[in-house]
Amino acid sequence: MPKQKHEALQIQFGEHIQKIRLKKGLSLRSVAANCELDDSNISKIENGKFNVQLSTIVELAKGLGVEKRELLEF
């Protein structure tokens, strides 16, 4: 996959994560407290600056209180 498409997906994914978090009224710290991720890494994900692994998706879902599949519906 070309680098630009890869970066565009990261940005779209991050925007989707942020939208879910804000819709639920959660802070970065509260999401981090509910999973095994640092709030600075969650911020990087939301800003499209972090390429997530499957294990990160699992942790994000736990922290946001949503099903894993919901994170990929963007």
Side-chain angles (χ1 to χ4, degrees), residues 34-51:
N34 292 325
C35 65
E36 295 182 26
L37 297 173
D38 187 74
D39 58 341
S40 65
N41 285 338
I42 296 170
S43 176
K44 289 176 189 174
I45 292 167
E46 288 185 357
N47 290 305
K49 298 181 181 187
F50 192 85
N51 189 14

Side-chain angles (χ1 to χ4, degrees), residues 26 30-32 34-35 58-66:
L26 300 170
S30 64
V31 173
N34 292 325
C35 65
V58 171
E59 289 301 317
L60 279 172
K62 184 168 65 172
L64 291 166
V66 298

Side-chain angles (χ1 to χ4, degrees), residues 4-71:
Q4 290 176 329
K5 279 191 175 185
H6 185 71
E7 290 172 351
L9 283 174
Q10 282 179 212
I11 291 168
Q12 289 174 341
F13 181 76
E15 289 172 346
H16 180 64
I17 296 302
Q18 185 178 51
K19 182 178 174 183
I20 292 170
R21 180 177 63 79
L22 294 175
K23 184 177 178 181
K24 291 181 153 274
L26 300 170
S27 69
L28 289 171
R29 286 187 183 202
S30 64
V31 173
N34 292 325
C35 65
E36 295 182 26
L37 297 173
D38 187 74
D39 58 341
S40 65
N41 285 338
I42 296 170
S43 176
K44 289 176 189 174
I45 292 167
E46 288 185 357
N47 290 305
K49 298 181 181 187
F50 192 85
N51 189 14
V52 299
Q53 298 178 359
L54 289 175
S55 59
T56 305
I57 292 172
V58 171
E59 289 301 317
L60 279 172
K62 184 168 65 172
L64 291 166
V66 298
E67 295 292 325
K68 295 175 283 293
R69 73 175 185 283
E70 187 175 336
L71 299 185

